[in-house]
Amino acid sequence: MGGGAAEATRAVAASYLASFATGDPETVAAHVGDGFVNEHTSALGSPSRGKAAYRERLADFLATFSGLAYEAADIVVEGDRAVAAYVMRAEVDGAPIEIQGVMRLTISGGLIERRVDYFDSLTFLRQTGQA
């Protein structure tokens, strides 16, 4: 894969992470394809299939995680895949949270087709006083 294609894949991944800070479901959903598969390895995450289902869930997600921002700590690209290590920061029910995680992204035609997200649910529960 040439440097231009790798940079394009990296740019999509970085833009996707940054889009959450807008708080706008449409801006976030604009990064994914119609057949988008959203997987979570965390016990607290819930999967979805399709752009429409993802967009529908985003409004509640963004409302729950007030001021949500993902800081990209590292993005590694190979072919049409990107692995993005991140620090997620937000406020949930008045409690500030900061969680490290990793997303594996598969990108095709400038859109994310698959996301697999890894983060520690227990860290979230502890930071929100639920554990």
Side-chain angles (χ1 to χ4, degrees), residues 60-69 88-92 97 99 124:
D60 286 341
F61 176 76
L62 294 169
T64 299
F65 292 86
S66 176
L68 176 64
M88 174 187 175
R89 293 183 181 90
E91 191 170 290
V92 177
I97 64 161
I99 300 170
F124 170 79

Side-chain angles (χ1 to χ4, degrees), residues 81-124:
R81 298 177 303 155
V83 176
Y86 64 79
V87 178
M88 174 187 175
R89 293 183 181 90
E91 191 170 290
V92 177
D93 296 330
I97 64 161
E98 182 173 302
I99 300 170
Q100 294 184 23
V102 174
M103 287 183 202
R104 288 185 3 225
L105 306 170
T106 303
I107 299 167
S108 177
L111 295 173
I112 300 167
E113 296 299 332
R114 182 181 177 129
R115 164 188 154 174
V116 181
D117 196 1
Y118 302 83
F119 72 92
D120 181 3
S121 296
L122 184 55
T123 297
F124 170 79

Side-chain angles (χ1 to χ4, degrees), residues 9 21 29 32 35 51 110 118:
T9 297
V32 307
K51 182 176 188 168
Y118 302 83

Side-chain angles (χ1 to χ4, degrees), residues 19-79:
S19 72
F20 286 90
T22 69
D24 178 27
E26 294 301 322
T27 300
V28 177
H31 290 83
V32 307
D34 290 338
F36 178 62
V37 175
N38 184 31
E39 295 181 42
H40 292 271
T41 62
S42 165
L44 295 179
S46 59
S48 66
R49 288 189 169 274
K51 182 176 188 168
Y54 181 62
R55 185 185 313 118
E56 185 177 302
R57 295 167 44 152
L58 276 169
D60 286 341
F61 176 76
L62 294 169
T64 299
F65 292 86
S66 176
L68 176 64
Y70 285 97
E71 177 187 337
D74 191 20
I75 299 175
V76 178
V77 174
E78 180 180 286

